[in-house]
Amino acid sequence: MTLTSSTGPTTGPGPGPVRAGRREWGALGVLMLPLLLVSMDISVLYFAVPAISADLRPGATEQLWILDTYGFVLAGLLVTMGALGDRIGRRRVLLGGAALFGVASVAAAYAGSPGALIGARALLGVAGACLMPATLALIRVLFVDPGQRAKAVTLWTSVMASGIALGPVVSGALVEHFWWGSVFLVNLPAMALLLVLGPLLLPESRGEGGGGRFDVVSALLSLGAVLPVIHGIKEVAKDGWAPLPVAGVAAGVLLAVVFARRQGRVAHPMVDLGLFRNRAYGGAVLVNLLAMVATVGYAVFLTQYLQSVLGRSPFEAALWSLVPTAGVLVAAPLAAGIARRVERAYVMGAGFLVAAGGFSWLVGIDRGTPLWGVLVAGAVYAGGLVSAMTLANELALGAAPPERAGSAAAVLESGQELGGALGMAVLGSVGAAVYTAAMPASAPAAARETLGGALAFGPPVVDAARSAFVEAMGGVALGAAVVMVGAAVLAVVLLRPRR
């Protein structure tokens, strides 16, 4: 591996892994800037949409694309940009992504039409796909010592989770005092700081020999595989089974098979399929995917519960939804410390079981359950989930060879994106079925489909719909608990070291 830096990690006394010094920890702080903003941009438009709609007047389809384009492009290009960083240099891709993120943020802030905003959000997705794998891959390069790398990955996972939670709060506060474009301009100071400090603190690294010529065909195949699968799953979750999204998922799966076959044949593959034969890597990708199924699947219902059942304003709901992150800030470092003394597979299994306990607590909630009870249960499941995901991320990074760090990180993150889409589809379908079954047969058809549809009718219908929705939340929590128990079993079976 080629690695250039003015000062590298320092070596401790005696033989052992090279330990990082103050420069490397400072570099980690720089890497957290793009990670926080890229994760925030996933959810930062939640409260800006009404203001955007009033100003640009997008149609219903255009409004959906304004919201979804960023996530779709980001997910579709993660593998491509991770592999590109392995070939031409991760710092180069990171800094190029930061510059593009700044330019795209300005374009989005001053977009004069729905089409211009959709295009700017697509560029933000391209930039985000450059930034996310590079941050995790550079951690693999900066922190050779496993204990230090575990701490760095713990911080990486916590910042990513915090960014997604902070997005709605930041957008709510900015839109309340400024115009909607300010939610994009907030990116500029951090990206400028990254462009100044990155060349000074971050080492350049790439795969040995540059990894061969970049495979454009594989890049197109990966994009064609990921985009229709995630888009199709989200469409099924939103509108139910329909021929077009199902065909999209099928086409994406077919292209994924073609992509995998090509990776087995080319001299310099974008994704090393041999990584998946390593249980530490393949198992970590799988349990992280399941963690995102539970996280995203339940989060959709929690957001509606705070607003449409408890009657909180969107900004209040966003603030209350931050409370469970306290569990993350406490549990993730604690789990990392325990994993230095206890086999990490068992610590991961315990984390997933803690998450299952938090979800199980939520199975029994009703209209009379106090808000603090829901939030404490949320802190329990969030703490258990993120603790297990942190250890899985660290295990996967350690299992990947340094020259494949970018593509390995990208596949890990792509699995999380797919898990989030599956959570919306599978657990969303469970919640919709329970809600419909719990509504009185005499209720209007629109009220029996969604809680939002019920809010247009009188108090008796709304009251019944809110009770049915809380029952649906319990069903989703039960599904999430089952998924977490499955993840715990898989973590112990797949990730414990063989004797």
Side-chain angles (χ1 to χ4, degrees):
M1 179 183 66
T2 302
L3 175 61
T4 58
S5 178
S6 55
T7 60
T10 57
T11 307
V18 178
R19 290 183 62 80
R22 284 180 296 180
R23 186 182 186 87
E24 286 71 37
W25 289 107
L28 178 65
V30 171
L31 289 176
M32 294 305 99
L33 291 172
L35 177 64
L36 180 67
L37 291 169
V38 170
S39 55
M40 276 176 51
D41 260 46
I42 294 172
S43 55
V44 79
L45 284 192
Y46 285 0
F47 295 151
V49 167
I52 292 172
S53 297
D55 187 16
L56 302 183
R57 302 193 178 280
T61 302
E62 289 175 322
Q63 182 170 301
L64 286 175
W65 279 110
I66 288 170
L67 285 170
D68 292 341
T69 296
Y70 174 77
F72 287 153
V73 175
L74 174 68
L77 290 177
L78 281 171
V79 172
T80 296
M81 295 306 178
L84 185 64
D86 288 341
R87 283 162 170 76
I88 70 171
R90 290 132 192 168
R91 185 181 69 179
R92 182 180 297 177
V93 170
L94 179 81
L95 296 179
L100 181 58
F101 206 88
V103 171
S105 296
V106 173
Y110 294 101
S113 67
L117 183 54
I118 292 168
R121 290 280 285 169
L123 281 179
L124 282 168
V126 175
C130 294
L131 292 166
M132 285 193 76
T135 59
L136 199 51
L138 284 168
I139 286 175
R140 175 71 176 86
V141 173
L142 288 166
F143 298 93
V144 181
D145 178 74
Q148 290 187 316
R149 188 167 63 234
K151 293 178 181 178
V153 175
T154 298
L155 180 61
W156 187 93
T157 310
S158 300
V159 168
M160 183 181 68
S162 300
I164 295 172
L166 279 172
V169 178
V170 171
S171 68
L174 289 173
V175 171
E176 193 169 318
H177 296 95
F178 306 101
W179 104 109
W180 60 264
S182 61
V183 304
F184 297 108
L185 294 183
V186 73
N187 298 328
L188 297 182
M191 291 302 163
L193 190 61
L194 174 61
L195 289 171
V196 171
L197 296 180
L200 300 176
L201 294 176
L202 297 174
E204 183 57 284
S205 66
R206 61 176 64 87
E208 188 174 348
R213 178 179 293 180
F214 186 72
D215 188 352
V216 176
V217 174
S218 290
L220 293 174
L221 284 172
S222 71
L223 183 65
V226 173
L227 279 183
V229 169
I230 291 182
H231 181 262
I233 290 173
K234 287 189 174 183
E235 288 296 306
V236 168
K238 186 174 66 195
D239 299 324
W241 295 97
L244 192 57
V246 171
V249 172
V253 171
L254 179 61
L255 287 175
V257 172
V258 176
F259 172 80
R261 289 177 64 86
R262 182 175 178 83
Q263 301 315 290
R265 293 197 307 266
V266 296
H268 300 285
M270 287 180 62
V271 175
D272 182 3
L273 299 182
L275 273 176
F276 291 96
R277 291 192 287 271
N278 183 331
R279 293 196 308 165
Y281 183 80
V285 171
L286 178 58
V287 298
N288 258 0
L289 184 150
L290 293 176
M292 290 302 293
V293 169
T295 302
V296 176
Y298 192 79
V300 173
F301 283 81
L302 180 61
T303 302
Q304 286 184 269
Y305 170 78
L306 291 170
Q307 295 183 60
S308 299
V309 176
L310 299 186
R312 310 290 180 183
S313 70
F315 188 52
E316 284 180 314
L319 288 173
W320 280 116
S321 67
L322 285 177
V323 174
T325 60
V328 173
L329 299 177
V330 172
L334 179 63
I338 295 173
R340 288 195 287 271
R341 300 172 181 84
V342 180
E343 171 52 47
R344 72 183 74 190
Y346 298 118
V347 181
M348 272 187 274
F352 285 127
L353 289 179
V354 168
F359 284 120
S360 298
W361 184 346
L362 291 164
V363 171
I365 67 169
D366 55 31
R367 294 282 299 280
T369 301
L371 177 58
W372 67 262
V374 176
L375 296 177
V376 168
V380 170
Y381 80 67
L385 265 170
V386 176
S387 297
M389 290 180 70
T390 298
L391 295 173
N393 285 333
E394 197 276 323
L395 188 63
L397 272 190
E403 64 271 14
R404 292 285 185 184
S407 57
V411 171
L412 189 64
E413 291 162 6
S414 297
Q416 293 175 1
E417 293 286 338
L418 179 59
L422 285 171
M424 291 178 64
V426 177
L427 295 184
S429 298
V430 170
V434 174
Y435 173 83
T436 300
M439 281 293 285
S442 58
R448 297 184 73 243
E449 288 182 4
T450 64
L451 175 58
L455 296 178
F457 296 93
V461 174
V462 171
D463 188 66
R466 285 173 172 163
S467 297
F469 186 84
V470 173
E471 192 171 331
M473 276 184 67
V476 172
L478 178 59
V482 171
V483 172
M484 289 298 89
V485 171
V489 173
L490 288 172
V492 172
V493 170
L494 295 177
L495 302 178
R496 65 182 176 183
R498 291 174 175 172
R499 294 187 183 278

